[in-house]
């Protein structure tokens, strides 16, 4: 109850007021009063800053999940993380852990300055400006949707990469999702077109398209595409990207038809960085014997249907998470080596890989007792 809400006492109102001595007058130096006010404001602002939202994102080590193990379903029962129906599968052992990162802060979930400072002094955490992680104006709902879409796409690509690694046939179609700004395909291709051939070569996957564009060296190419059920052919001159590869200037959407069903049960984890470890788990389930030799592996990396392993974020935190879970070996994307060097936790052996085939070969070699130092390593430039 506020002071002004206290009940009024009639008896007290009638009581005579006691005699009081004249008040003492204290003269204060105006400069002293200014210093007091200034100090109070500084303390107040400092205290407020501790609780105000800070435009930072903190990445910290997250849990790991064994892709050849089980996870707890919503009904509380244990279920295989990778479920395969319609194909012969084999018992597995050891661990092929995918690694994760906890992300605090960001759109709709800003952290306080005090929390950011706490992360700064923790060597296992990374503090990044929010705009380095999320484009300006991104909402929390958009982040969740993008992460879910990336996870779904990475799972499909992992299945395709694993089946291609095992020479199991499947159908892959590439369609135009959108065009980049100033695309050489502008006015020719449009969203929804399915790419059929480049020159005389049927497009059966992203690797075929990339290879034909590179082999053509930037000269105009004949692209056959299907729109509304009708095939058409047009000449497009590729442009060279920053990485030196030739491109049509389009964003691709991929659809697959697999010969059997493969489902991945992993909830509350988003993003594309588990692709390589999903693919290794699928390879292990579809081949006789234990790929791991009973040993504990962890790793990270995106993957495309051709088996190319790509860079990810938060690899120092993922290596810490792998160590915390007891992993002996860690598979790191070659493109992340700059972040690997100098951040490897004690007791963890790291091998760099650029393709699914390299990752599989590394696991097989280490399972057989190979010296990790004899395999591909991340080194300082």
């Amino acid at each position: 109850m506020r002071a002004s809400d206290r009940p009024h006492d009639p008896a007290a109102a009638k009581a005579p007021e006691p005699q009081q001595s004249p008040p003492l007058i204290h003269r204060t130096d105006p400069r002293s009063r200014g210093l007091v006010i200034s100090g109070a404001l500084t303390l107040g602002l400092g205290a407020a800053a501790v609780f105000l939202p800070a435009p930072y994102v903190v990445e910290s080590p997250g849990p790991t999940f064994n892709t050849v193990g089980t996870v707890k379903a919503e009904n509380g029962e244990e279920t295989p993380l990778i479920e395969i129906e319609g194909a012969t599968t084999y018992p597995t052992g050891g661990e092929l852990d995918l690694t994760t990162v906890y992300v605090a802060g960001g759109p709709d979930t800003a952290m306080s300055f005090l929390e950011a400072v706490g992360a700064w002094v923790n060597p296992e955490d990374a503090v990044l400006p929010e705009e380095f992680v999320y484009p300006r104006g991104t909402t929390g709902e958009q982040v969740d949707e993008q992460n879910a879409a990336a996870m779904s796409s990475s799972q499909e690509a992992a299945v395709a990469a694993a089946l291609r690694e095992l020479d199991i046939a499947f159908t892959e179609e590439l369609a135009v999702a959108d065009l980049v700004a100033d695309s050489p395909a502008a006015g020719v291709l449009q969203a929804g077109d399915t790419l059929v051939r480049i020159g005389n070569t049927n497009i059966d996957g992203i690797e075929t398209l990339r290879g034909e564009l590179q082999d053509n060296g930037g000269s105009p190419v004949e692209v056959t595409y299907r729109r509304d059920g009708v095939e058409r052919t047009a000449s497009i001159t590729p442009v060279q990207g920053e990485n030196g590869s030739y491109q049509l200037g389009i964003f691709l959407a991929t659809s697959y038809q697999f010969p059997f069903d493969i489902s991945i049960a992993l909830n509350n984890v988003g993003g594309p960085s588990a692709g390589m470890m999903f693919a290794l788990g699928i390879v292990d389930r579809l081949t006789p014997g234990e790929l791991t030799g009973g040993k504990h592996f962890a790793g990270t990396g995106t993957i495309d249907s051709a088996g190319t392993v790509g860079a990810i974020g938060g690899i120092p935190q993922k290596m810490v998470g792998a160590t915390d879970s007891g992993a002996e070996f860690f598979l790191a994307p070659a493109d992340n080596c700059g972040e690997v060097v100098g951040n490897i936790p004690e007791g963890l052996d790291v091998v760099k890989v650029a393709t699914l085939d390299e990752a599989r070969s590394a696991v097989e070699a280490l399972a057989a007792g190979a010296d990790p130092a004899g395999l591909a390593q991340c080194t300082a430039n």
Side-chain angles (χ1 to χ4, degrees), residues 172-176 193-196 203 205-206 209 252-255:
E172 178 179 4
E173 283 192 343
L174 301 181
V176 179
D193 291 344
T194 299
L195 303 183
V196 179
I203 298 175
I206 185 66
L209 178 60
L252 293 171
T254 309
S255 60

Side-chain angles (χ1 to χ4, degrees), residues 192-237:
D193 291 344
T194 299
L195 303 183
V196 179
R197 285 185 301 278
I198 181 166
N200 295 320
T201 303
N202 291 331
I203 298 175
D204 58 3
I206 185 66
E207 198 64 20
T208 300
L209 178 60
R210 289 173 179 165
E212 290 296 316
L213 290 174
Q214 290 306 109
D215 292 345
N216 207 52
S219 299
V221 292
E222 295 295 313
V223 177
T224 301
Y225 58 97
R226 185 169 57 249
R227 181 184 299 167
D228 299 328
V230 179
E231 288 192 4
R232 314 177 187 197
T233 301
S235 178
I236 303 175
T237 303

Side-chain angles (χ1 to χ4, degrees), residues 8-343:
H8 177 65
D9 184 348
K14 297 177 182 178
E17 295 184 4
Q19 297 295 317
Q20 298 180 354
S21 301
L24 297 175
I25 298 176
H26 299 278
R27 301 187 182 277
T28 305
D29 187 333
R31 290 174 298 178
S32 300
R33 185 166 58 249
L35 289 172
V36 170
I37 294 173
S38 176
L41 286 173
T42 300
L43 289 173
L45 290 174
V50 168
F51 300 101
L52 288 175
Y56 295 101
V57 170
V58 172
E59 294 179 345
S60 57
T64 62
F65 299 89
N66 182 13
T67 59
V68 292
T70 61
V71 292
K72 186 169 290 188
E74 292 182 359
N75 60 7
E77 296 182 359
E78 292 290 328
T79 182
L81 191 149
I82 297 175
E83 188 78 62
I84 300 176
E85 296 182 1
T88 301
T89 58
Y90 301 89
T92 61
E95 294 181 64
L96 287 170
D97 290 352
L98 66 89
T99 51
T100 66
V101 169
Y102 283 123
V103 179
D108 305 336
T109 56
M111 64 177 51
S112 71
F113 179 74
L114 185 61
E115 290 173 318
V117 170
W120 261 311
V121 300
N122 186 341
E124 294 185 354
D125 293 345
V127 182
L128 304 170
E130 183 178 319
E131 61 188 25
F132 280 22
V133 182
Y134 305 108
R136 289 184 181 274
T138 303
T139 65
E141 183 178 1
Q142 288 172 327
V143 170
D144 292 341
E145 290 175 353
Q146 291 166 2
N147 283 338
M151 171 59 79
S152 176
S153 177
S154 74
Q155 291 176 358
E156 288 191 327
V159 174
L163 297 189
R164 184 166 276 127
E165 174 71 14
L166 298 174
D167 293 325
I168 299 174
F170 63 94
T171 300
E172 178 179 4
E173 283 192 343
L174 301 181
V176 179
D178 202 355
L179 280 71
V180 303
D182 301 321
S183 168
V188 178
L189 299 178
Q190 65 183 38
D193 291 344
T194 299
L195 303 183
V196 179
R197 285 185 301 278
I198 181 166
N200 295 320
T201 303
N202 291 331
I203 298 175
D204 58 3
I206 185 66
E207 198 64 20
T208 300
L209 178 60
R210 289 173 179 165
E212 290 296 316
L213 290 174
Q214 290 306 109
D215 292 345
N216 207 52
S219 299
V221 292
E222 295 295 313
V223 177
T224 301
Y225 58 97
R226 185 169 57 249
R227 181 184 299 167
D228 299 328
V230 179
E231 288 192 4
R232 314 177 187 197
T233 301
S235 178
I236 303 175
T237 303
V239 294
Q240 198 165 22
E242 294 180 358
N243 61 358
S245 64
Y246 290 98
Q247 304 167 359
L248 296 177
I250 57 178
F251 294 106
L252 293 171
T254 309
S255 60
Y256 306 95
Q257 288 186 352
F258 299 123
F260 43 83
D261 293 330
I262 300 179
S263 58
I264 298 175
L266 188 61
N267 298 319
N268 301 320
V269 177
S273 65
M276 179 184 70
M277 300 308 295
F278 284 145
L280 283 173
I282 294 167
V283 168
D284 197 5
R285 293 288 308 280
L286 291 173
T287 52
E290 296 181 357
L291 182 64
T292 65
K295 297 181 180 179
H296 193 160
F297 292 81
T300 187
T302 65
I303 203 161
D304 64 19
S305 63
T308 302
V309 174
I312 50 79
I315 198 163
Q317 288 70 44
K318 290 180 178 180
M319 290 191 294
V320 171
T323 301
D324 290 345
S325 71
E328 307 165 71
F329 310 105
F330 189 90
L331 304 174
D335 289 340
N336 279 119
C337 275
E339 298 172 89
V340 169
V341 175
N343 290 307

